[in-house]
Structure formats: C-alpha cells, structure tokens
Amino acid sequence: MVYNKCRKKRRIKIEASMNDLISIHNILHEKIYRLKEIVDFNDIKKILEMDLSEINIENILLNTEKNICPLKCINFKKGKCKSCIDEAIKRHDYLKEKIQTDISKYNQYINTFKDIFYLKNEYNIEDLFIKFGFDKNYDLVCLVCDNMNYYNNDEKGNVYIVYGNLNKTKSEYKSSLKMEFKYKDDYIYIDKINASTDKLRCGHATFALSNLKTLIRNMKLPRPVDYIKGYVNENKKYIKRKDLIKFYKKNGFFVYQDLAFEKNI
C-alpha cells in the first residue's frame, strides 16, 4: 500500500479524508444518475411529481465542505514519507475538484427543473411540452412550450429555453431565451426571438429552431402545418443582420431578399 512507510497517525488522517470524499462522490453520482434518467426520457410527469421545495441544494455544498478534512503539506513533517503524502494530496485535490464539478452539475439540473415549475405556475400552464438538451458549454437546457392549443390566428405562443436562472431572477430578461410565434392556418409564423440572455452564442436559439418540428407535431392544431416562416429582425446590440441571416440559413431556412425566411417541415 502507498502508505506503508507513513506513520500511523498521518495515514489515518489521509485515509479518513479520502474516504469522506469517496462517500460524497458516490452519493452525488447516484443523485445525478437519477436526474439524467428523467432528462433522457423528457419525463415531465416525474419532474412535476418532485417536491423541489424540500431540496436544499446549498446544503450539499455546505455538508461537503464540512466533511472534507483539510489536507495540506504543512500538516506533515518532511521525512521519508513526504513523497507518498504529496501523491495522496494530489489524489485528494483531484477528487475534491471532481466533487465540486458534480455539485455544480447537480445544482444546474435542479435549477433547470425549477425553471419548468416557475413557468408552469407563473402562467398557469396545464398542457406542457418539454425537450431537454445540452448547449455548447455542455450545460443542461430545456425547451418549454407554454400552451399546446392555438386556434386563434392572433394568439401568440411562447417557446422558452431555460437553463436554471429563471427561477432565481423571476424575470425572463437575461434568464431565458424566448421565442414568440403565431399559428396561421397552414404555417407557423415566428414573430420574435428574444436572445438577450446572459448566455450568448451558446446554441440556445439553434436548439429552439431544431426542435420546432417535434413541437409542432405535438400541438393540437385544427389542420396540419406545412412550413415555418418569419422575418429577420436585427438587434444590433446582440447580433448583426449578416450573422442572423447566416444563423437562419445554417438552420435550414431559405432567406429572401426582403429578409423573409421560410422552411418546409
């Protein structure tokens, strides 16, 4: 064993700290695995059955810090066992960093679920469509549609891309991507995409557009929808017109000279 040459007191202290870390890592791994199962199946029923109010996310971090024994090289006298202590410290710190990463991932999953609850409760949504995915930073995102019945041509529908900030800020601005659309007899008209989030150029708008076909197929419409259309609305503060045109073309839309865009589905 790597600790054979270490004094008993030092060996016990190192191993106790490592055992605490391993135990915490295993608990977090199991929790994240269960959340991933819900995400993989877009299981809205399980999410709505969860009592997220009882989950104190910060306690996981606090308990972790409490249980991790501080392990510094200065805690040990230099001697024959210095090399194996240094190696143990490297393993200890690596596992600690892994746990911090897992905690951040766990918190982001839970907060994304809370965003779904927030939208449902804030807008009194009964018929909810969700689709999970990951952005360019490998963070969890979820497409949420606020209503699945659109019979009035003047009625707006909303598609949100949430990622765990909306329930904390209680504001759509900079906490989620919002796409407004209208049902127009045989097509869906994209009225506006509000991409002024605190996570720009992360693939959220692409995720929304790429899942529109699946979303439309799940809508309760009086007749089938054959295509999607809209106009390129420039927002100089966040994105230039040429970049917007490139964005729509990249997502399979044909952009006309008058900046109208269209795509068959």
Side-chain angles (χ1 to χ4, degrees), residues 13-253:
K13 188 170 184 179
I14 295 172
E15 290 183 344
S17 183
M18 288 295 292
N19 287 336
D20 284 344
L21 286 174
I22 291 169
S23 176
I24 294 167
H25 177 265
N26 290 339
I27 291 170
L28 279 169
H29 183 77
E30 182 180 352
K31 287 180 177 292
I32 292 171
Y33 178 79
R34 290 178 180 175
L35 295 182
K36 282 182 176 179
E37 284 187 322
I38 295 173
V39 167
D40 289 343
F41 290 97
N42 297 292
D43 198 334
I44 183 63
K45 289 184 179 179
K46 282 191 176 181
I47 292 174
L48 297 180
E49 288 171 358
M50 296 174 69
D51 188 359
L52 297 177
S53 62
E54 295 183 358
I55 299 177
N56 192 332
I57 301 170
E58 297 306 320
N59 278 347
I60 295 176
L61 181 59
L62 292 174
N63 289 336
T64 300
E65 292 296 332
K66 182 180 178 181
N67 290 330
I68 293 175
C69 301
L71 189 61
K72 304 288 184 182
C73 191
I74 59 174
N75 292 337
F76 305 98
K77 295 178 182 179
K78 294 181 179 180
K80 294 181 180 180
C81 59
K82 182 181 183 302
S83 60
C84 88
I85 290 174
D86 288 344
E87 182 63 29
I89 290 173
K90 288 180 182 178
R91 291 172 55 208
H92 177 279
D93 290 346
Y94 172 80
L95 189 53
K96 184 176 179 179
E97 288 178 8
K98 180 67 169 64
I99 287 172
Q100 297 295 338
T101 300
D102 286 347
I103 289 171
S104 296
K105 182 185 292 185
Y106 175 82
N107 288 347
Q108 204 248 328
Y109 271 55
I110 292 296
N111 273 309
T112 302
F113 290 178
K114 284 187 173 184
D115 280 0
I116 298 171
F117 268 87
Y118 176 80
L119 288 173
K120 177 176 173 56
N121 296 331
E122 183 72 10
Y123 300 105
N124 194 26
I125 304 168
E126 294 183 3
D127 202 355
L128 195 66
F129 177 86
I130 65 168
K131 175 69 175 177
F132 286 105
F134 295 90
D135 63 18
K136 291 180 180 179
N137 297 326
Y138 304 102
D139 290 329
L140 182 70
V141 295
C142 186
L143 180 149
V144 184
C145 186
D146 67 335
N147 199 328
M148 304 303 291
N149 294 286
Y150 299 100
Y151 300 131
N152 186 336
N153 285 358
D154 295 324
E155 184 181 3
K156 279 187 179 181
N158 298 307
V159 171
Y160 299 90
I161 303 295
V162 296
Y163 44 90
N165 284 2
L166 184 57
N167 73 92
K168 293 182 285 186
T169 62
K170 310 298 182 186
S171 171
E172 295 173 6
Y173 181 69
K174 286 192 175 296
S175 298
S176 64
L177 180 142
K178 181 180 179 182
M179 180 172 68
E180 299 176 357
F181 65 92
K182 293 179 180 179
Y183 165 67
K184 296 284 188 179
D185 295 326
D186 61 343
Y187 67 91
I188 292 292
Y189 179 82
I190 297 177
D191 193 49
K192 183 172 63 174
I193 297 180
N194 175 22
S196 57
T197 73
D198 56 1
K199 293 185 70 174
L200 295 175
R201 307 296 178 96
C202 289
H204 293 185
T206 296
F207 183 71
L209 290 181
S210 64
N211 284 284
L212 265 183
K213 183 177 180 179
T214 302
L215 175 60
I216 291 169
R217 293 288 181 257
N218 281 274
M219 288 179 183
K220 299 174 178 67
L221 302 173
R223 61 184 63 85
V225 167
D226 298 322
Y227 59 102
I228 305 166
K229 66 184 296 185
Y231 280 89
V232 175
N233 294 314
E234 183 181 12
N235 189 331
K236 294 181 180 180
K237 185 177 180 180
Y238 297 104
I239 188 169
K240 296 178 180 178
R241 180 181 296 177
K242 65 177 183 178
D243 293 329
L244 269 175
I245 294 172
K246 182 179 178 181
F247 163 74
Y248 282 110
K249 287 182 176 180
K250 185 178 178 180
N251 283 279
F253 289 85

